Amino acid sequence: MRAILLLMAKDLRERVRDRSLFLLALVVPFGLAAVFSLVFKDVDTQAAPTFALADQDHGQIATAFAEQALRPLERRGVIRLRAAAGEREARAAVERRDADAAYVIPPGFSAAVTSGRPATIQVIGNAEAQIGSFVARSIADAFASEVRYVQVALAVKGSGTMEQAAAVPEPVTVEDLAAERRQLSVSEGFAAGMAVFFLFFTVQFGFSSILDERREGTLARLLAAPVPRAAIAVAKLLNGFVVGVAATAVLLVAAAPLLGARWGHPLGVGLLVVAGTLAATGVMAMVATVATTAERAANLQSIVAVLFGVLGGVFVPIQQLGGVFGALSLVTPHRWFLQGLADLHGEHAPVVAAVPTLALLAFGAVTTGVALLRSGRMVRP
């Protein structure tokens, strides 16, 4: 154990003196995450649709539509409402794209509804704002259904007022349970993606430094000393692991105040970082055992890191394509790391993202085991 700690201390001192470590592990990933977040910041914040309302009736039912159907949505920030003097002004607002859609309530609308005659709310939609137009039509349809329900209730009772009929309990109610948020924001996604992407480049120098030491002749001197070969391999692995955990933790902590990221419970995030770093260290070490020189190891590790990053959804959520791409993403630690952070989001999120954490630990256990079994071909003069 003492030999492992001494070797780790020596390698860590050398890594700290190497300024490129800080660039690769901290400056570049955080800078890219900040740039991407600024470029795509508007994706997260879609503006509420604006509707123009031309009330030419001013009756009881028209007022109910404005005050009971539209104003509550406006107060909740779901829509924005603006008044229009008439149909011409409302139509002009839509054509100028000042409004996504417009409501026109014609004169006599309330009288027609209360007397049981056909009545119409005109919805003028903007062809280039299809979502806003669809929302406007849905609100009008919901209000029309409510009016129809009151008319039926009055017909069944045979007498009474509109208010009394509206107070009759609905025979069937629909409860809307919004799905709890289980996804990262744009800033969080890029910060987490860059952290796990560059984590693979950060840890690759740990185990691969065996090849550097063999090329420079220092490995032969180590083997001449009373140091077990297994201790050398373990020390190199732990060196990459420690640097990877520290770099990823610093990136995620810095992203909270600087990019507004929220990562969930610290225990769950910490376990994900440890498990993700273990997986990255194992994968990079296993790839290094295939190479015969440090240069070939670096090339192979870079190819694997980029390929896993693409398939794991670091740059685009390729797993959402499903099929082959969805299946391939499951064999990358990146996918499980990002999924774990997303699972920790939400009001009732778990303390620990159990499945992603276990998947990353399995990646780490398998790949690290293979690397240690093959380390004998590297730890030699």
Side-chain angles (χ1 to χ4, degrees):
M1 187 64 186
R2 186 170 181 274
I4 294 176
L5 293 177
L6 288 173
L7 288 171
M8 284 183 61
K10 176 187 75 69
D11 286 348
L12 286 174
R13 281 196 299 271
E14 293 177 356
R15 297 297 306 277
V16 170
R17 293 193 189 107
D18 186 0
R19 302 287 178 84
S20 64
L21 169 66
F22 297 100
L23 288 175
L24 184 65
L26 298 175
V27 177
V28 175
F30 187 82
L32 288 176
V35 170
F36 288 145
S37 299
L38 288 174
V39 171
F40 296 101
K41 65 179 181 180
D42 291 337
V43 175
D44 259 354
T45 55
Q46 295 183 355
T50 299
F51 299 148
L53 174 62
D55 183 3
Q56 299 173 309
D57 177 69
H58 303 291
Q60 179 186 11
I61 307 302
T63 303
F65 176 64
E67 298 301 327
Q68 298 178 19
L70 299 180
R71 295 296 179 191
L73 295 176
E74 185 186 33
R75 287 192 289 270
R76 289 161 51 190
V78 178
I79 65 171
R80 289 182 293 184
L81 203 59
R82 55 176 293 175
E87 179 179 351
R88 179 178 298 178
E89 182 177 330
R91 192 178 293 277
V94 173
E95 292 175 351
R96 292 195 308 267
R97 301 179 185 177
D98 293 337
D100 297 281
Y103 297 108
V104 177
I105 303 177
F109 173 78
S110 297
V113 171
T114 53
S115 61
R117 291 182 284 110
T120 302
I121 297 178
Q122 297 178 11
V123 180
I124 304 171
N126 187 335
E128 298 180 1
Q130 296 186 4
I131 295 178
S133 300
F134 177 77
V135 172
R137 176 61 184 266
S138 298
I139 294 172
D141 284 342
F143 181 76
S145 299
E146 185 72 16
V147 170
R148 179 61 179 165
Y149 163 74
V150 172
Q151 289 175 327
V152 172
L154 278 175
V156 171
K157 289 182 64 176
S159 63
T161 64
M162 295 287 288
E163 290 76 9
Q164 290 172 332
V168 175
E170 297 183 26
V172 178
T173 59
V174 178
E175 187 178 6
D176 184 14
L177 298 176
E180 197 171 0
R181 182 169 179 251
R182 283 287 188 272
Q183 66 180 21
L184 301 173
S185 68
V186 171
S187 297
E188 293 162 349
F190 280 121
M194 292 300 104
V196 70
F197 181 72
F198 281 93
L199 171 63
F200 278 67
F201 292 96
T202 302
V203 303
Q204 71 172 352
F205 298 106
F207 197 72
S208 299
S209 64
I210 296 176
L211 296 172
D212 292 325
E213 296 221 27
R214 195 170 74 185
R215 180 187 57 194
E216 296 167 1
T218 53
L219 182 60
R221 292 200 293 272
L222 272 178
L223 292 174
V227 179
R229 297 191 178 197
I232 297 175
V234 172
K236 299 296 185 184
L237 280 172
L238 288 177
N239 182 37
F241 175 77
V242 170
V243 174
V245 168
T248 307
V250 169
L251 278 174
L252 295 186
V253 170
L258 298 179
L259 299 180
R262 293 179 298 169
W263 300 118
H265 199 283
L267 176 61
V269 176
L271 290 176
L272 270 178
V273 170
V274 170
T277 307
L278 181 63
T281 304
V283 170
M284 291 291 100
M286 186 177 69
V287 173
T289 62
V290 178
T292 54
T293 65
E295 291 74 16
R296 290 180 181 176
N299 292 336
L300 287 175
Q301 288 170 327
S302 298
I303 292 172
V304 170
V306 172
L307 182 62
F308 274 23
V310 172
L311 293 177
V314 167
F315 303 103
V316 293
I318 196 171
Q319 64 274 12
Q320 294 181 5
L321 296 177
V324 176
F325 292 106
L328 288 175
S329 70
L330 294 175
V331 298
T332 66
H334 305 66
R335 158 70 185 274
W336 292 107
F337 184 80
L338 296 175
Q339 181 64 54
L341 288 177
D343 288 349
L344 294 176
H345 263 282
E347 186 178 354
H348 303 292
V351 175
V352 176
V355 174
T357 303
L358 289 175
L360 290 170
L361 289 175
F363 266 105
V366 172
T367 53
T368 302
V370 172
L372 288 175
L373 288 175
R374 294 176 54 86
S375 62
R377 63 186 300 275
M378 294 177 64
V379 188
R380 59 181 175 81

